Amino acid sequence: MKILITGGMGFIGSAVVRSIVAAGEDRVVNLDTLTYAANPANLADIADNTHYAFEQADIRDRAAIDVVLARHRPDAVMHLAAESHVDRSIDGPADFVDTNITGTYQLLDAALAYWRELNDEARDSFRFHHVSTDEVYGSLGLDDPRFTETTPYSPRSPYAASKAASDHLASAWFHTYGLPVVISNCSNNYGPRQFPEKLIPLMIISALSGKPLPVYGEGLNVRDWLHVDDHARALRAILRDGRVGETYLVGGDGERRNIDLVHALCAILDVELPNSPHRPHADLIQFVTDRPGHDHRYAIDHAKLTAELGWSPTIDLDDGLRDTVRWYLENREWWRAILEGRYDGGRLGLTRTAD
């Protein structure tokens, strides 16, 4: 297959690109506009691979998308490009509406026109995989059952609302126009190369320099953590074997309160950095005012994905956290380049918290 992936320079997108290229069977065309969270360093080691091509283009630019589709003639589209940080969506929702809703519409419409011109065999095998988030389902109570594919949508932040809208557009393009769409919604991802504004890398990097570790409220919000490599495996399986018109939920079986997660990171840092002047790192934890509309709990039931496609998470959360901390310790140049603005994404001040 030749797979067009949008947002392939980002955290999840680059993990998927590397996974596909490493398998050596399929080819990837990476379409990315290179916003602040896209980092060419994520894929520098495969930039010259014959199974990989890069196109700098914006999903909101219909003409540019048409050119890329005509040039590369992909067999499938995996749509990951999105504005994804909840705090940023609260501060400035316009970019999220523009990219996640308008951009998804432009991509869907371009894919539809391209798909209609394919021969019968290519049309039958073509797939449009729309990748989304569990945040579209809103908030769970501590004793509520996990999200399933039939959980009603109830987005509570501008980010979640924009992703919910994009999910509905993708579904509409299937039901109305017949575009062979499949949708997946995932839980919180973590792992190497995650942008430093997100919770786990923010805690690690801040702790290294003895900065406060900001935790919203009392840190009681619960998230289901999914290692990005497990997610990449799931996305490849869904693209290849998922049923057209269906939605699949991808969870990590890794529910953890935010405060417990931060304590776990601090304990790992204490072990990995026995001579750190900031030990015990848990002393750096600082509770801050909770953000508006902060969902209490996310948790995903991935039974459908497991039953139909045989996928299940393989990376235990504690093992994954340990490996992730070690990656950030061993790859300081990667995140220092981001903090110092030494790539097109610009400068970032580590003053936020996140989940």
Side-chain angles (χ1 to χ4, degrees):
M1 296 176 67
K2 181 183 283 186
I3 305 166
L4 174 65
I5 294 180
T6 69
M9 290 293 189
F11 169 49
I12 299 174
S14 64
V16 178
V17 170
R18 288 194 308 276
S19 175
I20 294 172
V21 171
E25 299 173 357
D26 301 322
R27 290 171 291 167
V28 176
V29 179
N30 174 12
L31 187 154
D32 200 305
T33 193
L34 297 181
T35 62
Y36 79 96
N39 190 345
N42 289 345
L43 296 175
D45 57 338
I46 66 165
D48 298 324
N49 192 292
T50 57
H51 283 233
Y52 173 76
F54 172 65
E55 293 279 357
Q56 184 171 356
D58 193 323
I59 60 171
R60 298 170 296 181
D61 185 344
R62 171 61 188 273
I65 298 170
D66 287 340
V67 168
V68 172
L69 289 171
R71 178 181 297 148
H72 293 280
R73 310 297 296 174
D75 303 299
V77 173
M78 185 183 292
H79 177 35
L80 289 128
E83 294 285 348
S84 65
H85 193 255
V86 176
D87 283 0
R88 288 180 182 268
S89 81
I90 294 170
D91 295 341
D95 287 342
F96 289 74
V97 171
D98 198 23
T99 297
N100 298 353
I101 302 177
T102 303
T104 298
Y105 157 71
Q106 295 290 1
L107 185 65
L108 281 164
D109 215 40
L112 178 64
Y114 168 77
W115 174 71
R116 282 174 167 169
E117 295 177 354
L118 297 174
N119 62 42
D120 289 346
E121 182 179 355
R123 287 183 65 194
D124 288 343
S125 62
F126 184 84
R127 294 292 181 271
F128 186 104
H129 183 176
H130 176 67
V131 181
S132 190
T133 172
D134 59 358
E135 297 198 31
V136 301
Y137 299 115
S139 184
L140 292 171
L142 283 177
D143 298 323
D144 289 339
R146 296 178 175 186
F147 297 135
T148 70
E149 289 78 5
T150 60
T151 300
Y153 275 46
S154 183
R156 295 155 61 99
S157 71
Y159 162 61
S162 69
K163 288 298 293 183
S166 69
D167 291 7
H168 292 318
L169 285 173
S171 180
W173 256 244
F174 166 69
H175 288 287
T176 303
Y177 304 112
L179 184 68
V181 169
V182 63
I183 298 172
S184 62
N185 299 76
C186 69
S187 56
N188 281 43
N189 279 224
Y190 74 100
R193 299 179 183 85
Q194 190 169 28
F195 198 73
E197 69 185 352
K198 298 291 189 173
L199 176 63
I200 289 175
L202 175 61
M203 295 297 115
I204 297 168
I205 294 169
S206 296
L208 289 177
S209 57
K211 292 181 179 180
L213 308 183
V215 176
Y216 278 134
E218 297 178 354
L220 302 182
N221 303 78
V222 177
R223 297 295 180 261
D224 178 6
W225 293 94
L226 169 68
H227 195 282
V228 70
D229 290 342
D230 273 337
H231 190 197
R233 285 193 307 105
L235 294 181
R236 292 178 61 198
I238 293 166
L239 181 68
R240 279 191 173 276
D241 300 317
R243 289 184 290 138
V244 169
E246 294 293 322
T247 294
Y248 295 90
L249 266 57
V250 189
D253 292 336
E255 286 189 62
R256 192 75 57 93
R257 297 189 310 175
N258 286 346
I259 187 60
D260 296 331
L261 183 83
V262 175
H263 273 289
L265 293 171
C266 290
I268 295 168
L269 286 165
D270 288 347
V271 172
E272 296 293 327
L273 301 172
N275 298 320
S276 170
H278 310 301
R279 293 177 77 246
H281 293 87
D283 288 350
L284 299 171
I285 294 172
Q286 184 177 99
F287 295 103
V288 299
T289 302
D290 208 352
R291 74 173 177 220
H294 196 177
D295 293 336
H296 183 65
R297 172 177 169 247
Y298 302 146
I300 276 184
D301 182 346
H302 56 78
K304 177 179 176 179
L305 179 58
T306 300
E308 291 193 12
L309 304 183
W311 177 93
S312 61
T314 62
I315 301 174
D316 173 77
L317 178 57
D318 290 315
D319 292 338
L321 290 177
R322 191 175 303 108
D323 291 343
T324 299
V325 169
R326 288 172 179 165
W327 189 90
Y328 280 92
L329 294 179
E330 295 167 1
N331 293 272
R332 302 188 190 209
E333 180 59 23
W334 181 90
W335 51 264
R336 281 175 177 157
I338 296 174
L339 303 189
E340 296 170 6
R342 288 186 278 123
Y343 82 111
D344 289 344
R347 187 177 299 276
L348 173 74
L350 288 184
T351 58
R352 297 169 178 266
T353 184
D355 62 28

